[in-house]
């Protein structure tokens, strides 16, 4: 290709870039704001990493795009004066007045939507960086504005937009500041309490003793000034939707201190425990869901700013909206637009209307947020006249359940993405399947809400039988094509998968081998009843600490005889916690394929695979209890892969592998033969499985042990890791953590009622 053509193309590209770089960056920034305000709330209910990664990418790109556009605009102002200092005539493409008017919109964008101020908990700790960014970007925008003077047409709307942009950016910075853990802790601390005046009392006591007066010190508990009757007595029947939000907000205000390791009084424990003991498991689940939603709003959105004292946040928000509306009115009615290009006028209207639309959407989200509902309806028993609107809205937010087709008719969560408050899924990882490089499997399939509606329509039209026959035929055709699809998938994986694995092994393993299990209401009922039963014995701080620190021994005491308990304890309390997880995980798998299925079998299998997922893929969450879990897992996998290479496995490889493992003689312990250099627990788990298979109630034992093992992890993980997971779909272990706190299981209840008031009693 001739050189002049290359030059012509380069010049054409440069002209397009010079004309559209600022305009494209501003419109792209606006598009990202629209995307974030609509999509960011979905991250608390998203399933899988892909959705979270997309939101993270948009979150980072939004700030980068706005900063880039501000830089382009400020850079464009430098050549608009001649050598004499006079402003040169500009083409419509270079009109500095219009560029100065656009610059404050980027401050507005840097303020971000209400639905996301921080992507991760660590972003809140970076509030000083955002504060500096506010200063620098504000200076840049003011510089652009000054450079555009005398700006006869647009100086008033530019100033109005500057005010709106400063308010929005300031909101975000203040939201990050308030959500940083140190400030979050400080906001919940009460006034310092020095207690009774000990020095004065002892001075009076010494004076009376020196005067030989018969004096005694009498102690009496001072009544707790905070103690008061609940605003609504705990109910024994089912909770209405408004009551769920009301009680969730009430207990959120108390227990949000868990995030920063504050302590609570026994009065608060007793009130919470009494409330949750009276609850149906589903109602308790709904209350905890909304509580975690409040926590999400406080730490990751502008909710705390808008609901602050004296509603200053709301006043400033409406002031910012009024500035945008005034700018639109002035631009439409007062500004002479003949000197501007038509495309720039269109972009300006797009920016103004986009800003108004974003604020209107934010206002509707604010009005129908759980926090607004809880704040505006103080007493659900005597609701205001607008309460039916909220009741109708909350019906959509109530968990949807669909009965599955399995033998036990489990109810699985089927709430649509846009209205559910958490992911409703349980991640699962299986060691044996991972070593066999098998496909992901789950006990249940996720029910689809649109499928539920479609089936209801078919039943109403009496077309369900015809549709089922057609669906059966289609499934047979798909089954015939599945080998081809699998073959093509293996080709793609062999070409590209290994490249990705080399750079990010854990990430690729999670994408390939971790499956998602739908959350089951029956599993939650089982967990709830187990923890409620334990709470009956947690009357003192010592007993509550002992129960929350149990790693299976408490469950064995309740579920099996002394002889059986002695054989199993060596696999629980006599080994590190991470080792017990691996031992019981492999043993659960070996027993799972050995006998007939029971309902408790599915519960045990789900919790077993979930805990292995946390141990392997969530090291930050499990850091307090994981020990050398990753090393044990890798060594165990290495031994399992070596064993499976020797054996010939056919048909159901998982089942065959478990059968082969159980056939290995384990008369002598593995450590006595191999030493302890390798941390593999494969054949120790085989010994445990053989012991369990001798017991009649093995699934009752295993299910109770797994609940206790999850409870131990939940109460010993750092509280901040629970708060961090709320923004990424939520975890079942976080529900354990909060439910245990509500039942008074833990070490955070340490304050007795009132002070001990001493009185000097002078005898005769």
């Amino acid at each position: 290709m001739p050189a002049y053509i290359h030059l012509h193309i380069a010049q054409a590209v440069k002209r397009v870039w010079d004309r559209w770089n600022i305009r494209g960056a501003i419109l792209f920034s606006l598009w990202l704001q629209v995307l974030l305000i609509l999509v960011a709330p979905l991250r608390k209910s998203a399933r899988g990493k892909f959705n979270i990664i997309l939101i993270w990418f948009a979150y980072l790109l939004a700030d980068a795009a706005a900063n880039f556009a501000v830089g382009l605009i400020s850079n464009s102002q430098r050549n608009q004066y001649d050598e004499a200092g006079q402003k040169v005539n500009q083409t419509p493409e270079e009109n500095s007045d219009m560029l100065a008017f656009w610059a404050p919109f980027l401050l507005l964008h840097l303020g971000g939507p209400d639905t996301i101020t921080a992507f991760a908990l660590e972003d809140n700790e970076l509030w000083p960086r955002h504060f500096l960014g506010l200063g620098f970007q504000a200076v840049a925008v003011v510089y652009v504005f000054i450079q555009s003077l005398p700006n006869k047409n647009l100086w008033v709307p530019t100033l109005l937009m500057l005010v709106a942009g400063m308010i929005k950016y300031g909101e975000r910075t203040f939201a990050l500041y308030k959500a940083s853990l140190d400030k979050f802790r400080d906001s919940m601390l009460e006034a310092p309490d020095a207690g009774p005046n000990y020095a004065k009392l002892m001075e009076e006591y010494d004076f009376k003793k020196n005067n030989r007066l018969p004096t005694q010190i009498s102690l009496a508990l001072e009544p707790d000034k905070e103690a008061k009757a609940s605003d609504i007595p705990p109910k024994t029947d089912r909770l209405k939707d408004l009551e769920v939000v009301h009680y969730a907000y009430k207990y959120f205000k108390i227990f949000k201190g868990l995030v920063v390791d504050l302590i609570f009084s026994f009065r608060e424990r007793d009130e919470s425990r009494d409330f949750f003991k009276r609850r149906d498991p589903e109602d308790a689940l709904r209350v905890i869901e909304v509580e975690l939603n409040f926590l999400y709003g406080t730490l990751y959105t502008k909710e705390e700013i808008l609901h602050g004292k004296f509603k200053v946040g709301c006043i400033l928000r409406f002031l910012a909206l009024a500035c945008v509306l005034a700018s639109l009115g002035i631009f439409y009615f007062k500004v002479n637009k003949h000197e501007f290009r038509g495309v720039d006028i269109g972009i300006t209207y797009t920016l103004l209307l986009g800003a108004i639309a974003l604020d209107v959407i934010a206002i509707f989200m604010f009005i129908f947020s759980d926090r607004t509902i809880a704040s505006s309806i103080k007493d659900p028993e005597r609701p205001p006249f607008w309460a039916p609107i909220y009741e109708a809205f909350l019906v959509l937010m109530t968990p949807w359940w669909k009965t599955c087709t399995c033998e036990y008719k489990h109810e699985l969560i089927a709430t649509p993405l846009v209205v559910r408050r958490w992911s409703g899924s349980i991640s699962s990882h299986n060691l044996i399947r991972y070593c066999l490089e098998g496909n992901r499997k789950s006990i249940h399939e996720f029910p689809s809400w649109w499928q539920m509606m479609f089936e209801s329509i078919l039943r109403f039209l009496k077309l369900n039988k015809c549709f089922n026959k057609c669906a059966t035929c289609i499934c047979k055709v798909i089954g015939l094509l599945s080998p081809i699809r699998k073959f093509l998938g293996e080709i793609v994986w062999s070409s590209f998968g290994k490249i990705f694995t080399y750079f990010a092994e854990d990430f690729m393993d999670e994408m390939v081998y971790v499956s998602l299990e739908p959350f089951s209401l029956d599993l939650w009922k089982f967990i709830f009843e187990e923890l409620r039963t334990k709470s009956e014995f947690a009357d003192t701080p010592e007993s509550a600490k002992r129960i929350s620190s149990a790693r299976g021994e408490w469950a064995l005491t309740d579920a099996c005889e002394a002889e059986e308990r002695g054989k199993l304890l060596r696999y629980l309390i006599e080994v590190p916690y991470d080792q017990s997880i691996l031992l019981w995980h492999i043993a659960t798998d070996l027993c799972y394929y050995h006998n007939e299925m029971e309902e408790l079998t599915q519960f045990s299998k789900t919790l077993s695979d979930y805990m292995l997922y946390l141990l392997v893929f969530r090291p930050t969450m499990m850091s307090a209890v994981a020990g050398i879990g990753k090393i044990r897992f890798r060594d165990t996998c290495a031994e399992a892969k070596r064993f499976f290479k020797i054996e010939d496995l056919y048909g159901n490889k998982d089942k065959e592998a478990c059968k082969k493992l159980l056939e290995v003689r384990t008369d002598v312990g593995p450590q006595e033969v191999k030493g302890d250099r390798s941390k593999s627990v494969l054949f120790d788990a085989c010994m445990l499985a053989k012991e369990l298979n001798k017991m009649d109630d093995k699934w009752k034992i295993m299910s109770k042990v797994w609940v206790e093992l999850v409870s131990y992890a939940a109460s010993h993980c750092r509280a901040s890791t629970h708060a961090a997971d709320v923004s990424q779909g939520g975890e079942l272990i976080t529900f354990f953590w909060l439910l245990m706190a509500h039942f008074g299981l833990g070490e955070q209840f340490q304050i007795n009622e009132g002070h001990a008031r001493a009185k000097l009693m002078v005898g005769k």
Side-chain angles (χ1 to χ4, degrees):
M1 187 179 293
Y4 72 89
I5 296 181
H6 283 288
L7 180 61
H8 180 73
I9 293 174
Q11 290 175 344
V13 170
K14 185 179 183 302
R15 283 195 300 271
V16 172
W17 171 255
D18 290 341
R19 178 176 295 183
W20 284 99
N21 57 0
I22 295 175
R23 293 160 181 82
I26 291 175
L27 291 175
F28 182 59
S29 177
L30 175 63
W31 178 78
L32 287 172
Q33 296 303 307
V34 174
L35 182 68
L36 282 175
I37 198 170
L38 297 176
V39 176
L42 303 182
R43 65 191 175 127
K44 65 183 178 182
S45 55
R47 293 172 182 155
K49 282 192 172 294
F50 186 69
N51 297 326
I52 302 295
I53 290 172
L54 286 179
I55 296 172
W56 169 75
F57 188 66
Y59 173 78
L60 293 181
L61 204 56
D63 282 357
N67 285 322
F68 179 65
V70 171
L72 288 175
I73 292 175
S74 60
N75 186 59
S76 70
Q77 304 293 315
R78 62 182 180 178
N79 294 323
Q80 61 172 317
Y81 291 94
D82 58 20
E83 295 179 358
Q86 298 298 317
K87 197 169 184 179
V88 300
N89 293 327
Q90 295 176 312
T91 63
E93 291 90 346
E94 301 170 340
N95 193 292
S96 62
D97 295 356
M98 185 63 80
L99 295 180
F101 185 41
W102 288 348
F105 285 95
L106 297 165
L107 277 183
L108 212 64
H109 297 171
L110 286 168
D114 291 0
T115 53
I116 179 169
T117 53
F119 179 82
L121 202 60
E122 294 79 10
D123 292 330
N124 293 318
E125 307 304 321
L126 299 177
W127 68 266
R129 177 187 295 179
H130 284 270
F131 183 71
L132 286 175
L134 170 61
F136 283 122
Q137 296 301 338
V139 168
V141 172
V142 171
Y143 165 76
V144 170
F145 175 67
I146 292 173
Q147 289 290 90
S148 70
L149 295 175
N151 187 340
K152 298 178 181 178
N153 270 337
L154 294 172
W155 73 271
V156 174
T158 301
L159 283 178
L160 290 172
M161 289 307 305
L162 180 60
V163 171
M166 292 290 290
I167 289 173
K168 292 294 289 289
Y169 204 164
E171 278 180 354
R172 181 183 182 184
T173 304
F174 193 50
L176 292 170
Y177 166 71
K178 292 199 71 174
S180 60
L181 291 183
D182 288 340
K183 181 59 182 177
F184 188 65
R185 181 187 294 107
D186 293 344
S187 68
M188 288 180 285
L189 296 178
E190 299 178 356
D193 186 357
N197 194 331
Y198 173 79
K200 183 178 180 180
L201 176 71
M202 295 310 297
E203 183 182 351
E204 293 179 4
Y205 178 76
D206 187 58
F207 174 78
K208 289 180 171 56
K209 278 292 186 182
N210 291 336
N211 286 280
R212 298 182 179 181
L213 296 174
T215 307
Q216 292 181 340
I217 298 178
S218 175
L219 294 177
L221 282 179
E222 191 178 75
D224 186 1
K225 297 178 181 178
E226 299 294 326
K228 59 180 180 180
S230 176
D231 50 354
I232 299 178
K235 298 176 57 174
T236 55
D237 54 347
R238 295 293 302 270
L239 296 178
K240 300 176 183 176
D241 294 329
L242 285 176
E243 292 171 332
V244 167
V245 176
H246 170 80
Y247 282 112
Y249 185 55
K250 173 184 176 181
Y251 290 112
F252 164 73
K253 289 190 292 185
I254 298 172
F255 286 95
K256 64 181 180 180
L258 288 170
V259 175
V260 287
D261 300 317
L262 295 184
I263 57 176
F264 306 94
S265 70
F266 293 114
R267 175 186 60 80
E268 291 168 331
R269 180 203 66 178
D270 293 341
E271 183 182 340
S272 171
R273 187 168 64 171
D274 181 54
F275 174 81
F276 277 87
K277 278 183 178 179
R278 297 169 183 259
R279 298 277 66 80
D280 173 87
E282 185 178 356
D283 276 351
L285 174 67
R286 293 167 63 200
V287 171
I288 292 175
E289 274 186 351
V290 180
E291 273 190 272
L292 293 176
N293 198 49
F294 284 133
L295 182 62
Y296 167 82
T298 298
L299 296 178
Y300 300 101
T301 72
K302 295 181 181 178
E303 190 173 275
E304 200 67 25
I305 302 300
L306 297 176
H307 290 276
K309 291 182 179 179
F310 311 115
K311 301 298 180 183
V312 175
C314 291
I315 295 171
L316 291 175
R317 171 57 52 83
F318 282 104
L319 175 60
L321 178 58
C323 289
V324 179
L325 289 171
S327 296
L328 175 62
I330 293 171
F331 184 78
Y332 183 78
F333 292 106
K334 299 293 185 180
V335 173
N336 181 11
K337 306 178 193 61
H338 296 298
E339 60 184 273
F340 306 129
R341 294 175 65 217
V343 67
D344 288 348
I345 296 171
I347 290 173
T348 305
Y349 279 125
T350 301
L351 291 172
L352 286 165
L353 295 175
I356 294 169
L358 289 172
D359 272 351
V360 170
I361 293 171
I363 289 171
F364 273 101
M365 288 183 170
F366 169 78
I367 291 172
F368 289 98
S369 67
D370 289 334
R371 186 72 172 267
T372 301
I373 295 172
S375 301
S376 61
I377 301 179
K378 303 294 186 183
D379 184 355
E381 294 294 334
R382 294 186 293 274
F385 66 90
W386 63 82
I389 300 174
Y390 284 145
E391 289 174 345
F393 174 74
L394 289 174
V395 167
L396 297 174
M397 307 292 289
T398 303
W400 299 19
W401 303 101
K402 178 176 171 59
T403 304
C404 73
T405 56
C406 71
E407 179 183 354
Y408 307 104
K409 304 296 182 184
H410 288 156
E411 291 187 81
L412 307 178
I413 195 164
T415 315
L417 172 66
V418 293
V419 293
R420 63 175 178 248
R421 291 188 170 96
W422 71 297
S423 68
S425 63
I426 303 172
S427 298
S428 300
H429 187 48
N430 188 268
L431 186 143
I432 291 177
R433 190 181 307 131
Y434 173 72
C435 294
L436 294 171
E437 297 184 354
N439 295 326
R440 294 184 293 184
K441 295 180 182 177
S442 59
I443 299 173
H444 302 105
E445 295 294 330
F446 276 99
S448 172
W449 68 272
W450 66 264
Q451 183 182 354
M452 293 166 56
M453 296 177 64
F454 185 61
E455 289 174 355
S456 300
I457 294 171
L458 287 177
R459 282 194 297 270
F460 177 75
L461 298 175
K462 302 187 184 304
L463 296 174
N464 51 322
K465 292 183 179 179
C466 178
F467 179 80
N468 289 338
K469 289 180 180 179
C470 295
T472 303
C473 295
I474 293 171
C475 288
K476 289 180 179 179
V477 174
I478 293 174
L480 294 173
L481 296 175
S482 60
I484 300 173
R485 182 171 56 86
K486 184 177 180 181
F487 174 71
L488 293 175
E490 289 175 353
I491 293 175
V492 173
W493 173 251
S494 63
S495 302
F496 301 102
K498 293 181 180 179
I499 300 174
F500 292 127
T501 303
Y502 178 79
F503 292 104
E505 183 178 357
D506 283 350
F507 178 78
M508 290 307 301
D509 281 348
E510 185 172 356
M511 297 295 287
V512 174
Y513 295 109
V514 173
S515 59
L516 294 178
E517 183 72 26
F519 182 72
S520 163
L521 181 60
D522 303 87
L523 173 62
W524 173 255
K525 289 178 179 178
F526 175 71
I527 294 167
F528 183 84
E529 294 300 335
E530 285 294 306
L531 294 179
R532 176 156 59 182
T533 301
K534 288 184 179 183
S535 71
E536 300 287 348
F537 302 95
D539 292 326
T540 64
E542 293 76 19
S543 61
K545 181 179 179 181
R546 188 169 62 253
I547 292 171
S548 64
S549 298
R551 287 172 36 195
E553 64 270 24
W554 186 280
L556 293 182
T557 303
D558 180 50
C560 57
E561 301 296 331
E563 183 179 353
E564 296 174 334
R565 184 166 63 252
K567 294 178 181 178
L568 298 179
L569 279 176
R570 61 186 289 253
Y571 299 101
L572 286 169
I573 61 174
E574 296 179 14
V575 296
Y577 177 78
D578 61 290
Q579 186 173 342
S580 65
I581 292 292
L582 285 169
L583 285 168
W584 283 80
H585 170 78
I586 298 171
T588 301
D589 249 27
L590 297 177
C591 295
Y592 181 77
Y593 292 108
H594 186 263
N595 296 104
E596 293 293 326
M597 294 280 289
E598 301 177 21
E599 185 175 35
L600 293 177
T601 306
Q602 295 187 355
F603 296 164
S604 302
K605 174 71 171 169
T606 300
L607 294 177
S608 166
D609 288 355
Y610 177 61
M611 286 306 294
L612 185 71
Y613 162 78
L614 292 180
L615 187 68
V616 176
F617 294 109
R618 304 305 301 274
T620 304
M621 169 166 274
M622 299 289 284
S623 60
V625 294
I628 58 170
K630 195 65 177 287
I631 297 174
R632 292 188 207 278
F633 173 77
R634 290 164 61 91
D635 288 355
T636 304
C637 287
E639 186 171 26
K641 289 176 181 178
R642 183 179 63 189
F643 177 80
F644 296 146
K645 281 181 181 178
I646 300 172
E647 301 293 336
D648 294 325
L649 303 175
Y650 303 98
N652 186 337
K653 289 188 176 182
D654 293 0
K655 186 174 183 179
E656 284 297 310
C658 292
K659 182 180 178 182
K660 295 291 184 181
L661 284 170
L662 287 173
E663 290 173 355
V664 176
R665 296 289 298 271
T666 53
D667 300 333
V668 181
Q671 286 191 351
E672 298 177 28
V673 176
K674 303 188 305 176
D676 63 350
R677 180 176 178 82
S678 172
K679 300 302 178 182
S680 172
V681 299
L682 181 65
F683 293 105
D684 296 273
C686 293
M687 297 172 66
L688 171 59
K690 291 175 182 179
E691 292 290 347
L692 288 166
N693 279 329
K694 297 175 185 177
M695 302 177 185
D696 295 331
D697 293 332
K698 65 173 177 292
W699 290 116
K700 178 182 177 183
I701 295 170
M702 280 192 279
S703 58
K704 288 178 175 288
V705 166
W706 275 117
V707 169
E708 203 156 287
L709 287 172
V710 181
S711 302
Y712 178 85
S715 60
H716 286 78
C717 291
R718 293 199 305 271
S720 59
T721 60
H722 290 295
D725 275 324
V726 172
S727 69
Q728 299 186 35
E731 290 286 356
L732 177 62
I733 195 172
T734 303
F735 283 77
F736 267 85
W737 168 67
L738 196 50
L739 182 62
M740 290 177 69
H742 284 310
F743 277 139
L745 300 174
E747 304 177 28
Q748 54 274 72
F749 302 99
Q750 302 176 18
I751 304 174
N752 285 309
E753 303 299 325
H755 297 298
R757 177 185 289 174
K759 294 182 178 180
L760 295 180
M761 308 295 293
V762 181
K764 294 183 179 179

